[in-house]
Amino acid sequence: MDKPLLFISHTILLLLITSGVMAQHVDVLQQNKPTSIRGLSVVDDNVAWVSGSKGYVAMTADGGKNWNWQQVKGFEKAEFRDIEAFSDKEAVIMSSGTPALILKTIDGGANWKINYRNTDTAYFLDAMDFDSRQHGFVMGDPIKGKFLLLETKDGGNNWNTFNGPDALPSQAAFAASGTCLRTNGLFAIITGGSVAEVITLKTKGTWKHSRVPIIHGQSAQGAFSISAGPRQYVVVGGDYQKDMLQDSTACYSTDNGLTWHLANIFPAGFQSAVEYIKEDTFISTGTSGTNMTTNGGITWTKIDATSYNACRKAKHGKLVLLAGNGGKIGILKL
């Protein structure tokens, strides 16, 4: 094929891909609530939960059309930065700050039981993830040179210390979307600050540290989120204090994290969460807006300019929701 025809064919292909991505959009379902939502768990195409600042939690049982909001009694000042839900009745919430808290409900939020409480100011919880209904982890900022890890084997009723990985000086994780920790299919911790790393668990107590080419070096910079597809891992991040900067905000690996490559076209600014959708499609979001890739993280296209903090796909289904400041909840329309 001669060069003019090759150029034309590549141009047409790019236009087709771009037009397909641009057909996706985000619709706002809820907003104007006095809470910043960071926790989001989508159970199926009907049930989802969110959690946020000032002790707020909400649940939908109809795919996001209606939400049952509550301010958990006695925890009106809690920062519920992550949530893990299993049904419309059962959910676990995690609070950052002091005291560090983990609560659970089995009656749809009518009652919450404190299953973990620590008043030590060194404890700052960042994220929570479960690889089954019974088995899960909570991660916190480093204490005495090691990332804090708590493990449950009974659905969040009891929590015990798990041997976490070593941390470098001024290295930390971000309690931004609950996705700096992933345990389902890929056990990984995502870091920022002084060093942007993907830290993966090989065997119990054995960790592998891999540097990723996400912007880092300052307290507001680093890798914020990871998601795994069938053929690649994708990491996003940036600088949340300069959220419109696009340089080095996304990278990907096609060899199980052995090597990492910067995206050819970055998301349009800082991204605090990334989620696998299907095939080579991922969605990412942050205060700079929402972006999508259909080629495994190589190129990204902005699909919405609204600020969100988190995005999650249904564990059992196709529903994709986003959540952010001001009690904002959005739905991805595919």
Side-chain angles (χ1 to χ4, degrees), residues 33-53:
K33 297 289 184 179
T35 182
S36 173
I37 303 172
R38 304 299 181 107
L40 172 60
S41 183
V42 186
V43 179
D44 53 36
D45 288 340
N46 295 308
V47 176
W49 294 67
V50 297
S51 64
S53 61

Side-chain angles (χ1 to χ4, degrees), residues 142-160:
I143 299 175
K144 296 180 179 179
K146 280 186 175 291
F147 280 95
L148 172 69
L149 276 178
L150 302 172
E151 181 184 27
T152 181
K153 297 181 180 179
D154 58 7
N157 294 314
N158 294 281
W159 295 86
N160 297 295

Side-chain angles (χ1 to χ4, degrees), residues 31-37 52-56 69-71 76 78-79 324-328:
Q31 58 184 339
N32 299 322
K33 297 289 184 179
T35 182
S36 173
I37 303 172
S53 61
K54 300 180 182 179
Y56 278 93
W69 286 88
Q70 67 165 298
Q71 196 173 19
E76 291 83 2
E79 293 278 343
N325 299 335
K328 191 184 297 95

Side-chain angles (χ1 to χ4, degrees), residues 29-30 48-50 58-60 64-69 321 329:
L29 299 172
Q30 291 269 305
W49 294 67
V50 297
M59 189 272 292
T60 179
K65 296 176 183 177
N66 297 282
W67 292 82
N68 179 24
W69 286 88
L321 296 179
I329 302 172

Side-chain angles (χ1 to χ4, degrees), residues 128 194 257 290 324:
M128 173 173 55
S194 61
T290 299

Side-chain angles (χ1 to χ4, degrees), residues 188-202:
I189 292 171
I190 314 305
T191 78
S194 61
V195 180
E197 282 189 325
V198 172
I199 307 173
T200 52
L201 179 66
K202 295 307 176 183

